[in-house]
Amino acid sequence: MERKLLALAAVQFKVEGEGNTFQGYASTFGNVDSYGDTIVKGAYAETLKVNGMPKMFFNHDAYAVPIGKWTKAVEDDYGLLLTGEFTPGNQLADEVRAALKHGTLDSMSIGYSLTKGDYDETAGGRTIKKVTRLAETSIVTFPADKFARVDQASVKSFADEIALVETIRDFEYFLRDAGGFSKGAAQALTARAKNLFGVRDAAAQVEAKHADEILKRIQRLAA
């Protein structure tokens, strides 16, 4: 699963009065992010229709009780605007709400999956036209990329995705989208995979039949 982080202070995040309702943009359209990716308007329409609202967590902790629920999602010209409610009686939700109002928390991160055909490759990244699944949207402490391990609670298994890997570039996206690795970590591991196999022209020489062995070696490197 890939994650993108967004500073809420820059996108009109607000808590309504003393209640539990709040609102903010979880994703913006037409901007080049730290991954070199651009998400276009309409990217979330199908997943919201088919899969419903994402879960709401704090710091992507999918093993904890959600801190609330998203009640409304609207794509406008600016981005994906979410309206949510903190769960009454949830201690962590109360703490997060207080921190947001005080300004000690100010960022949001989305966890989502892509498949081939959802994006067009560009010189520096991707133009994302469709998000296959928006699994969760978290309020987070640090708006920075991390070297992440696969989250077994919320992503597909490697075996389900590996069949799509045909080139080294595909493998990098596989690590980011299915494995939850940051852009830097995915690029570093992909470069290591090239060295392991002595690949000079990666796009031409790395074939799908090698993908399982590449994955096993990468898993051992990341362990």
Side-chain angles (χ1 to χ4, degrees), residues 46-55 134:
E46 185 172 342
T47 184
L48 291 172
K49 182 178 180 180
V50 174
N51 300 310
M53 294 292 179
K55 296 295 185 180
L134 180 62

Side-chain angles (χ1 to χ4, degrees), residues 41 61 82 87 95 115 124 180:
K41 183 178 179 180
D61 188 356
L82 293 179
T87 300
E95 293 174 358
T115 58

